[in-house]
């Protein structure tokens, strides 16, 4: 096989670039040093029985355009809205939640 492009690193930027080049008809080779692709966006079982996001924990930098053009939903991409998106426990036992609903967040702030 003759490669048109070799990409070092199978993080999401390398994978997106490879996908677009492949769709344009190029022969692309992605070389990843780890045993899994995804870079900082992976989910790993770092303790037996617990799968966690070891780096990125929410999908904020992935452009909607890429999701659409690369048909990621067809390949299993699914976004679970975070609600509440934010929780902060305080040392004195109080806490603050922020919710998707601004009215609920306002009443939390009002406490
Ligand atoms: C702790 C943390 C939390 C984050 N949280 C979020 C978040 O919640 N939401 C969000 O949108 N973004 C988050 N980010 C940012 C996001 O993870 C990065 O923007 C994104 O991962 C960058 O993708 P990338 O493909 O450029 O690089 P990376 O994800 O870093 O991927 C690079 C890949 O290249 C491989 N590699 C490196 N050198 C070589 C080599 N010489 N040969 C072969 N392979 C190599 C690495 O193993 C890795 O797989 C977070 C980042 C960190 C560090």
């Amino acid at each position: 096989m003759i490669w048109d492009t070799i990409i070092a690193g199978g993080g999401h930027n390398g994978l997106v670039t490879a996908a677009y080049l492949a769709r344009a008809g190029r022969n692309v080779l992605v070389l990843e040093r780890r045993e899994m692709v995804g870079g900082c966006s992976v989910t790993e079982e770092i303790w037996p029985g617990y799968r966690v996001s070891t780096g990125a924990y929410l999908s904020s930098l992935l452009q909607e355009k890429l999701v659409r053009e690369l048909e990621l939903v067809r390949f299993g991409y699914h976004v679970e809205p975070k609600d509440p998106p934010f929780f902060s426990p305080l040392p004195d036992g109080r806490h603050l939640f922020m919710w998707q609903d601004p009215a609920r967040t306002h009443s939390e702030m009002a406490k």
Side-chain angles (χ1 to χ4, degrees):
M1 172 72 79
I2 306 257
W3 304 107
D4 299 312
T5 308
I6 297 175
I7 295 177
H12 87 247
N13 282 315
L15 295 175
V16 165
T17 305
Y20 275 103
L21 287 170
R23 279 163 59 124
R26 304 290 184 92
N27 288 320
V28 185
L29 175 66
V30 178
L31 297 173
E32 169 53 51
R33 70 178 164 188
R34 296 194 66 203
E35 69 287 352
M36 56 165 50
V37 293
C40 288
S41 307
V42 294
T43 302
E44 296 178 271
E45 187 170 322
I46 48 178
W47 305 285
Y50 293 91
R51 286 171 51 76
V52 297
S53 303
T54 35
Y57 56 93
L58 54 85
S59 184
S60 58
L61 299 175
L62 183 61
Q63 295 174 25
E64 200 50 48
K65 180 176 181 254
L66 304 181
V67 175
R68 216 175 35 251
E69 289 183 356
L70 297 177
E71 303 173 74
L72 298 188
V73 173
R74 199 156 68 82
F75 294 99
Y77 179 78
H78 169 73
V79 177
E80 201 67 58
K82 274 200 317 143
D83 198 20
F86 180 85
F87 168 70
S88 180
L90 301 172
D92 63 6
R94 291 179 304 147
H95 62 267
L96 176 75
F97 277 111
M98 288 187 173
W99 302 92
Q100 298 286 354
D101 175 7
R104 281 184 86 185
T105 298
H106 295 165
S107 61
E108 276 287 305
M109 297 274 199
K111 291 192 308 194

